[in-house]
């Protein structure tokens, strides 16, 4: 596309598992490019294979077929340039907020003082100052997701995968988190691949939306969303796009 | 629902809650009083051979004046506790290390697991004859028997914890490129601590049970020895006095384990607050 730099490309990604002695396809021949610094939304119905796809991009799983390229080079295994915000938050319950957030640079052997400084920056950015010494069990659902986001950013990845980060939140919290993630993305330009099954959320956040089919997931359509940010969720244009995508979406199984 | 209504409902439920709290404070006291009353009733009557609480208290006072085997009651208790603590420390260090090894490393488990299982099914007391033949009747063989009783639950629980780690925590480790050492120390072991502590708690009560049995079978000190002495000399108040000490110390041990767990795992303590 005109002048945009391809950051990540998925080429013929397929994944299947053996279940009860039968092949079970989760993801089938997925191809798309992700541009540098764009906010890409992966939209798909429940159980269609979204998490499987993110696991493949992040290197947690190896696909049966296909390659992931980052800046043109094949990605093998987990790569520090690719970060992840997990669907289940996956905070480590035995670590405080600060210790959770600094875990990336700690594993990389960054000195304590330096990594704490970075961690503090992102703790402040997600609005959790004052909770550094709290344990995850003492936090609300929204706060846990913020910790997960700060943890991913603190490792300074070039690409951030976010797996339905707001899926478990109530509507009110969800709206404010959507607004915040957009602000963070605008101030800390990174490439984001954001998974959701919520069409409104997809249209509100995405530069582009990759619409996936039911399982086995493959790409059904790709939408460019050219609306100015922050988007007005009740403007006629917003509603039109929302309806267009909704009419084209498979019903969840 | 109007606000007025919810106010009434709230205060009523609050009252109920308060009454419940008071009830839960009273009930344990009631049950202890009931036990003492039963005890007095059971020991009532001139012909009864069962000592009353007063008899036991008298025996306690007499013990304070006249040691048994040159040791005071406290020294007997200390003798048992010393055996238990040495055996427990050894069982934690060795048991947790071994449990981590066979829980985390599949090859080590395939190699050492069967040996451990074979040893585990033999109750610790069954080792006493062999251990006596090998090591005589001194301090070491007693501590060894207690160690055998304590180390089994530590190994079993540690192994279970280490081989059932929630995949999501290991995924976090992999996403942040943890090396093998970090994977074990920063992710696997902390997430197995709950299970490890379950083993540590069980080991404390097991050790306390085994030490008493070991002392009853041979030895000249310890609370288990006191019980045997009381039985052999028909001194029932001494038997009951020892039993009460055993109960109290057992409870103190259990509480200490909880305190240790809170110290080592502050996140679990905060959860229950
Ligand atoms: N390791 C695995 N082994 C077998 N089947 C798997 C495995 N991982 C995922 N699946 C299956 O693949 C399908 C897609 O799973 P996935 O978690 O990617 O769904 P999803 O799109 O993320 O759904 P949700 O919106 O609920 O998070 C599911 O039917 C799931 O059971
Ligand atoms: Mg998912």
């Amino acid at each position: 596309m005109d002048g945009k730099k391809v950051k990540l490309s998925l080429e013929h990604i397929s994944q299947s598992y053996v279940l009860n002695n039968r092949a079970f396809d989760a993801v089938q021949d997925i191809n798309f490019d992700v541009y540098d610094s764009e906010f890409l939304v992966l939209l798909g119905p429940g159980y269609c294979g979204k998490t499987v796809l993110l696991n493949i991009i992040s290197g947690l799983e190896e696909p049966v077929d296909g390659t992931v390229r980052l800046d043109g080079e094949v990605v093998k295994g987990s790569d520090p340039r690719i970060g992840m915000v997990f669907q289940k938050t996956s905070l480590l319950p035995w670590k405080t907020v600060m210790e959770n957030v600094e875990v990336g640079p700690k594993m990389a052997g960054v000195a304590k003082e330096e990594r704490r400084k970075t961690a503090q920056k992102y703790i402040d950015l997600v609005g959790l100052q004052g909770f550094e010494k709290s344990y995850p069990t003492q936090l609300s659902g929204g706060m846990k997701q913020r910790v997960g986001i700060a943890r991913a950013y603190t490792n300074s990845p070039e690409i951030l995968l976010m797996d339905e980060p707001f899926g478990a939140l109530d509507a009110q919290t969800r709206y404010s988190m959507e607004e915040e993630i957009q602000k963070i993305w605008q101030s800390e330009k990174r490439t984001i691949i954001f998974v959701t099954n919520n069409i409104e959320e997809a249209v509100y956040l995405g530069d582009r939306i990759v619409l996936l089919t039911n399982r086995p997931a493959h790409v059904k359509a790709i939408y460019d969303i050219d609306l100015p940010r922050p988007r007005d969720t009740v403007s006629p244009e917003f509603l039109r796009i929302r309806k267009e995508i909704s009419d084209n979406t498979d019903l969840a199984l | 629902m109007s606000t007025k209504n919810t106010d009434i409902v709230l205060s009523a439920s609050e009252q109920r809650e308060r009454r419940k709290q008071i009830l839960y404070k009273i009930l344990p006291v009631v049950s202890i009083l009931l036990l003492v009353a039963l005890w007095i009733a059971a020991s009532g009557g001139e012909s009864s051979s069962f000592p009353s609480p007063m008899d036991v208290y008298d025996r306690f006072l007499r013990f304070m004046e006249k040691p048994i085997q040159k040791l005071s009651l406290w020294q007997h208790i200390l003798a048992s506790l010393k055996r238990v603590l040495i055996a427990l420390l050894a069982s934690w260090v060795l048991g947790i290390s071994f449990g981590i090894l066979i829980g985390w490393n599949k090859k080590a488990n395939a190699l050492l697991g069967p040996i451990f299982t074979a040893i585990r099914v033999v109750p610790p007391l069954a080792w006493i004859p062999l251990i006596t033949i090998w090591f005589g009747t001194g301090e070491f063989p007693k501590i060894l028997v207690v160690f055998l009783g304590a180390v089994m639950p530590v190994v079993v629980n540690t192994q279970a914890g280490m081989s059932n780690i929630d995949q999501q925590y290991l995924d976090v480790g992999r996403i942040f490129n943890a090396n093998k050492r970090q994977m074990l120390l920063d992710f696997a072991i902390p997430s197995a601590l709950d299970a490890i502590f379950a083993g540590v708690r069980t080991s404390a009560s097991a050790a306390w049970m085994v030490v008493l049995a070991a002392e009853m079978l041979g030895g000249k000190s310890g609370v288990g020895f006191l019980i045997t002495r009381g039985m052999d000399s028909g001194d029932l108040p001494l038997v009951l006095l020892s039993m009460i000490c055993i109960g109290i110390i057992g409870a103190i041990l259990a509480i200490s384990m909880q305190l240790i767990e809170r110290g080592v795992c502050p996140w679990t303590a905060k959860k229950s607050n």
Side-chain angles (χ1 to χ4, degrees), chain B residues 148-171:
Chain B
L148 282 173
V151 79
M152 299 305 165
V154 177
V155 174
V156 170
N157 282 282
T158 305
Q159 181 194 12
M162 289 298 292
S163 50
N164 291 316
I165 295 169
D166 195 337
Q167 185 62 37
Q168 61 172 323
Y169 302 134
L170 300 179
D171 282 349

Side-chain angles (χ1 to χ4, degrees), chain A residues 20-67:
Chain A
N20 307 324
N21 289 322
R22 295 231 315 266
F24 173 96
D25 296 326
V27 167
Q28 203 175 53
D29 195 25
I30 296 231
N31 296 283
F32 62 83
D33 289 338
V34 187
Y35 301 118
D36 199 17
S37 299
E38 87 168 322
F39 200 123
L40 182 92
V41 173
L42 274 178
L43 176 65
Y47 317 114
C48 77
K50 305 182 291 293
T51 298
V52 169
L53 189 57
L54 285 196
N55 283 345
I56 290 168
I57 299 174
S58 67
L60 286 178
E61 272 183 51
E62 213 178 306
V64 293
D65 197 16
T67 40

